[in-house]
Amino acid sequence: MIDLQVPDKTHDEARQGEALILDTPVKADARKLYIESYGCAMNFADSEIVASILSETGFETTGDYHQADVIFINTCSIRENAETRVRNRLSQFGVEKRRNPKLIVGVLGCMAERLKSKFLEEERLVDVVVGPDAYRDLPNLIEQVESGHKAVNVLLSREETYADISPVRLNSNGITAFISITRGCNNMCSFCVVPFTRGRERSRDAHSIIEEAKALFEGGYREVTLLGQNVDSYIWTSEDGTETVNFAQLLEQTALVSPELRVRFSTSHPKDITDEVLHTIAKYDNICNYIHLPVQSGNSRVLELMNRTYTREWYINRIDAIRRIIPGCAISTDIIAGFCTETEEEHEETLSMMDYVQYDFAYNFTYSERPGTLAARKLEDDIPEEVKKRRLAEILAKQQAHSLMRLQEWVGKTVRVLIEGTSKKSDKDYCGRGDSGAMAIFPAIEGVKPGQYANVFIEKCTSATLIGRIV
């Protein structure tokens, strides 16, 4: 499961409560497309693919949905509140549709695939429903709607990777970008809808990935994040069978594009991350010393119920390998509080896992039953909400302490930071990330600009941010 959180667009957990609006300059005579993306990093990358496909038929994106001819919401089904937000947003777009009957409103992505009939039957304002593997069909589907018909295509594919499509980099800072390397997922975690909404896993042509990285670097980008539901299971074989590339090799090839191109990746799976990958990270200075390794629970019985296919001991083995091979590597995680039948003792094992690893940051949630998943079919969601919330609060408090401790380790040190832009709070300050992914804030100085690297001396920190000055 890949998700994205508000504080860090390069990392991968659920972005609840905020939509990304894609925006580029619009020609006066162009048809106008407005897209909002919810949920995971893959959705944000997919929206760039959608914009690219529709740009070939004359669409340009706008940041003002009042100007739009077509409005798309790229949706997430990972958690219930994401679906609630999408439905509320559709109601708001309905007001605009009543004002402009020719306006086309569509739902894309995972939620579209899962709730296709409900959208067309219950949400009267939805004209088109398109699943993650059917974006190439969008021009035809829009034509169907314009001729007076509802349109839907949610067919899943075993081959589609969009490898030949160059994404339109929208709402971009021109410095960091996502590159999708796989689609779908073969891991049947009992709590997750992704295998049902995105289909089976398939890996993208390695050459197309490297060419995209080269094009981004030549275009001024200085950081790429390789995206997949499980990047460690990436494996591509050429059609003639003469070439095979695994994830460690792909990481190396991406790093070799330029030593000035910083490389991140997400998400790793504890059962698949190998020492070969870790040694590759250690070998190249421009592969960031940061790994997102979702644990979900610190108890082996609960992990088995989740169908995570590893134990507490196996996970600790992987953590120990990271610490041994990449000293100082930042590690983040996902944790679910209150999964089905979880006892207090098992919850305590999750807390003890947090103490063992001391994560740099974590994405923490109460369990939310998703229709159609194995857990929804086979397990009872029997933990009371107040217990879930209390356990989550304990997890959050512990993680805040660990995050502060990790950032305090940087105080008094100099960090090489890629400047991403100005701070949200002051245009006199720059913001950017060090190798570990922690955000740093520091005064802007003449002659240094976004897209460049700067050595920043860290003077202090909060539990989420490093604060310093360029030296």
Side-chain angles (χ1 to χ4, degrees), residues 170-342:
L170 302 169
N171 200 40
S172 171
N173 58 12
I175 299 165
T176 64
F178 295 125
I179 300 178
S180 297
I181 67 170
T182 69
R183 296 187 70 82
C185 186
N186 290 346
N187 298 312
M188 299 297 291
C189 300
S190 64
F191 54 78
C192 187
V193 298
V194 167
F196 306 104
T197 59
R198 287 189 171 269
R200 302 291 288 178
E201 183 178 284
R202 57 271 191 205
S203 296
R204 180 179 162 189
D205 184 318
H207 297 292
S208 72
I209 295 168
I210 301 306
E211 288 305 311
E212 185 172 339
K214 288 178 179 177
L216 286 166
F217 182 76
E218 291 167 1
Y221 287 81
R222 290 298 176 263
E223 179 178 292
V224 295
T225 300
L226 306 181
L227 287 180
Q229 305 298 146
N230 176 9
V231 292
D232 295 291
S233 61
Y234 175 90
I235 186 76
W236 172 78
T237 302
S238 60
E239 289 188 5
D240 61 8
T242 59
E243 183 181 7
T244 296
V245 178
N246 66 17
F247 182 59
Q249 294 163 336
L250 181 70
L251 260 184
E252 181 172 52
Q253 291 177 23
T254 309
L256 289 172
V257 168
S258 170
E260 293 299 301
L261 180 66
R262 182 182 272 175
V263 183
R264 299 187 187 276
F265 58 90
S266 192
T267 293
S268 288
H269 196 293
K271 75 177 177 64
D272 291 318
I273 190 168
T274 64
D275 286 2
E276 183 187 8
V277 166
L278 302 182
H279 283 295
T280 302
I281 297 169
K283 181 178 178 181
Y284 293 95
D285 290 339
N286 59 325
I287 302 179
C288 292
N289 288 352
Y290 161 73
I291 296 172
H292 183 67
L293 197 67
V295 66
Q296 307 298 0
S297 170
N299 174 263
S300 293
R301 187 192 73 87
V302 174
L303 288 171
E304 185 175 6
L305 287 177
M306 291 177 168
N307 198 33
R308 291 290 288 171
T309 67
Y310 57 83
T311 62
R312 175 186 176 91
E313 291 72 27
W314 176 267
Y315 187 89
I316 288 174
N317 170 277
R318 294 293 79 203
I319 293 296
D320 290 346
I322 294 169
R323 299 291 190 216
R324 181 179 70 254
I325 297 169
I326 319 171
C329 183
I331 303 174
S332 64
T333 199
D334 303 344
I335 296 174
I336 296 174
F339 189 71
C340 308
T341 75
E342 181 188 62

Side-chain angles (χ1 to χ4, degrees), residues 70-82:
V70 174
I71 293 174
F72 285 141
I73 301 182
N74 198 348
T75 61
C76 174
S77 276
I78 295 298
R79 291 175 182 86
E80 186 175 1
N81 61 342

